[in-house]
Amino acid sequence: QEERLAARAWQLMMMLPTNREMRTGLERLPALPPGQEPEWPVLLPEGGSAFKLLYSLQIVDTLMQDGDDAWLGAFAARGGLRHLLRLLTAPAEELLGQHRGSQRK
């Protein structure tokens, strides 16, 4: 029951327009001043909802598929790849905190 509800919630989220603030934060990586590191825990959140992380990763995937070399270079050079690898190699409890998707208890 809960998995079916989660799947439906995800489908609904995918029908909504992309969160402009999240996308803009990621799109601006090449424009950041030299030496300024983005707030990766905000751009690629951890310890909260799996849905929010997956949503952020879909935005990253879209930007990567756009093929913008400046963006790809900035993502790697400013620690995005390092942050993403840390997220994906972390134990599930650390990655998602106590929640496994929805914020319901």
Side-chain angles (χ1 to χ4, degrees), residues 10 13-14 19 22 26 39-62 75 80-97 99-103:
W10 181 253
M13 270 182 57
M14 293 298 96
N19 180 305
M22 291 176 82
L26 288 163
E39 293 185 54
W40 289 115
V42 173
L43 296 173
L44 296 175
E46 57 188 282
S49 170
F51 289 123
K52 191 167 185 176
L53 175 59
L54 289 172
Y55 186 80
S56 297
L57 290 175
Q58 285 211 327
I59 295 171
V60 169
D61 182 55
T62 298
F75 181 76
L81 186 57
R82 182 176 55 247
H83 181 74
L84 181 57
L85 288 173
R86 190 182 63 70
L87 284 175
L88 296 176
T89 58
E93 298 80 27
E94 185 179 319
L95 174 62
L96 300 176
H99 305 288
R100 296 283 189 257
S102 71
Q103 296 291 330

Side-chain angles (χ1 to χ4, degrees), residues 1 6 9 12 22 24 27-28 31 33 45 47 53 58 68-69 73 79 88 97:
Q1 177 80 9
L12 178 61
M22 291 176 82
T24 300
E27 284 179 327
R28 289 186 179 161
L53 175 59
Q58 285 211 327
D68 181 350
D69 290 340
L88 296 176

